[in-house]
Amino acid sequence: MSTFLTDRDVRTTPEGIVWEPSQRWVRGRKGDLTVVDSRRPVLVWEPGQAVPLYAFPREDVRADLLRLAKNPPTGTHSDSQIFYDLEADGVLLENAAWTFPADDLSGHIAFEWFGRSGRGLDHWYEEEEEIFIHPRDPHKRVDALPSSRHVQVEIAGTVVADTHRPVLLFETGLPVRYYIPREDVRLDLFTHTTHASGCPYKGTAEYWSWQGDDDVPPNPAWSYAAPMPAVAAVEGLIAFYNEAVDIVVDGERLERPVTPFNKALFR
């Protein structure tokens, strides 16, 4: 008879690092070169970081491509933490990999993700699906639900969106996002920008900025042209930062939330 765990095997080290084993097959590549290939990765949450990274047993890593870092970071890491430069395809990537100052994770190596920091490995796969920015948190849920609620979006007193057919996106730890059909949005009041962002749960977003002179941060509206399959219902719809605009749902004006996005929006 098989025995199944009913609770996740989450562990915390004395250093405050949280980690848990993963059963996913994970590969990391630099270009066409496979640097990591593991069926026994662990997810690691470093102190002060909201999103996880993968760490891998050393034997699942192309250790022959690693060199002790010539210029390791200073001032924020333990002396027992080792950083490595990665030499791949004739390119040297500084501080692309590191170990953790925790006995529980000795023998494991983590890698920087290009999509997260602009350096490191640039292609990651869970099973046969490519993932972006950072691993998806198994404790986080994202649901996109069609609705018949009446949603209006206002900027400086102007109604810029009005719909009875939104898709509500519920994401753990964030306010509800209201995705609105383009036909119900005054896109003529906005300018499409070159800004883009990536999300491991939703995909790559394009953005629009408000044309008015009001104190509205840039890029308050976005859309996913080709979202991840799990949130396919938001394809092509427009959403707005609740933090930057006024949203009225079924006649009730929502309070503007304070989230991690506020700092980037109003810097």
Side-chain angles (χ1 to χ4, degrees):
M1 179 182 293
S2 298
T3 300
F4 295 92
L5 294 177
T6 55
D7 295 314
R8 292 190 182 277
D9 190 12
V10 180
R11 312 172 194 182
T12 303
T13 75
E15 297 81 8
I17 298 172
V18 177
W19 68 279
E20 67 175 74
S22 173
Q23 297 184 40
R24 303 189 182 197
W25 175 25
V26 178
R27 283 100 69 215
R29 297 176 182 167
K30 178 61 181 175
D32 294 329
L33 179 65
T34 298
V35 179
V36 178
D37 188 332
S38 180
R39 288 170 170 81
R40 47 184 182 154
V42 297
L43 281 165
V44 180
W45 290 261
E46 296 181 284
Q49 297 296 320
V51 299
L53 287 171
Y54 276 121
F56 308 93
R58 183 178 290 269
E59 39 289 18
D60 295 342
V61 171
R62 286 284 306 273
D64 59 302
L65 303 176
L66 300 180
R67 313 281 184 265
L68 285 175
K70 293 182 178 179
N71 301 294
T74 59
T76 59
H77 300 276
S78 166
D79 291 339
S80 61
Q81 192 168 24
I82 300 173
F83 282 83
Y84 296 95
D85 296 337
L86 173 69
E87 188 172 347
D89 288 338
V91 177
L92 187 69
L93 305 174
E94 291 193 343
N95 301 312
W98 63 90
T99 63
F100 295 97
D103 290 341
D104 284 6
L105 294 170
S106 62
H108 286 74
I109 298 177
F111 286 83
E112 190 57 86
W113 291 42
F114 182 85
R116 187 177 82 146
S117 67
R119 58 190 178 85
L121 304 190
D122 46 19
H123 294 286
W124 288 93
Y125 299 86
E126 291 176 343
E127 303 301 331
E128 298 304 325
E129 181 174 313
E130 187 168 7
I131 53 176
F132 305 91
I133 312 302
H134 61 78
R136 287 172 283 204
D137 189 328
H139 304 285
K140 188 168 186 173
R141 185 180 179 107
V142 181
D143 295 303
L145 304 179
S147 177
S148 59
R149 296 195 191 202
H150 183 199
V151 177
Q152 295 173 298
V153 179
E154 298 179 2
I155 295 180
T158 298
V159 176
V160 300
D162 191 331
T163 191
H164 287 273
R165 46 181 186 151
V167 171
L168 276 55
L169 191 135
F170 300 87
E171 183 171 351
T172 304
L174 291 175
V176 179
R177 301 300 190 189
Y178 300 89
Y179 283 77
I180 299 172
R182 295 191 182 210
E183 299 85 353
D184 297 337
V185 179
R186 290 284 310 276
L187 276 180
D188 59 300
L189 301 177
F190 295 83
T191 299
H192 189 265
T193 73
T194 59
H195 182 62
S197 67
C199 171
Y201 308 99
K202 298 184 288 292
T204 301
E206 57 181 330
Y207 286 79
W208 287 262
S209 282
W210 173 244
Q211 293 179 358
D213 296 329
D214 307 280
D215 187 21
V216 179
N219 303 304
W222 73 88
S223 180
Y224 291 96
M228 303 296 287
V231 293
V234 305
E235 181 178 348
L237 307 187
I238 307 291
F240 295 83
Y241 279 111
N242 311 43
E243 300 88 338
V245 303
D246 294 311
I247 296 180
V248 180
V249 179
D250 292 333
E252 179 181 352
R253 187 176 299 272
L254 306 183
E255 290 187 14
R256 293 192 184 185
V258 176
T259 75
F261 292 102
N262 284 75
K263 184 176 180 180
L265 285 167
F266 297 102
R267 59 188 174 187

